[in-house]
Amino acid sequence: MPSINRRTFLAGATAATFSLATRNASRSAAANDTVVLALVGANNRGSQLATGFAKQPGNEIAYVCDCDERAIAKGIAAATSNGGQTPNGIKDLRRALDDPAVDAIIVAMPNHWHAAATILGCAAGKHVYVEKPLSHTPDEGERMITAARAANRVVQVGL
């Protein structure tokens, strides 16, 4: 297994960011140009992320998931803040994971749920953006890596 160091990672991340930033914005939008997202955890950081994603072209937040109805309303308001479509508000993350149209999940729920949601997302075939902390224990982190590799999914940690 090839090792990766900080310099290699930063070079790759910079190249990926540059290629995304310089893609031709004038091309017409096709179905494959839209990334369908589910926001999981809509209080505070989740709503901040929804606002940020709503500003970016090429994505759609299809679900706002939270066990708190008040948080769902906040997340929907944030997801539609830039004129986007109104997402479905749901309490159970598994409903979004069962939807084959969802490409990725954004995990911003309480910290102790980050590992579980990431593992469930990967197992459901979804890519995952998870907020820090990634996990509480090294074992959780190892399980997340195993799940991502087994499902061939991308997991990005926000710091």
Side-chain angles (χ1 to χ4, degrees), residues 7-23:
R7 185 167 297 183
T8 306
F9 173 77
L10 289 174
T14 302
T17 302
F18 179 77
S19 69
L20 289 173
T22 58
R23 74 178 188 167

Side-chain angles (χ1 to χ4, degrees), residues 71-104:
I72 291 173
K74 280 191 225 176
I76 290 173
T80 58
S81 63
N82 202 41
Q85 294 180 347
T86 302
N88 295 308
I90 59 175
K91 288 184 162 190
D92 191 341
L93 158 68
R94 294 171 295 183
R95 285 190 44 213
L97 295 178
D98 288 342
D99 186 341
V102 173
D103 299 306

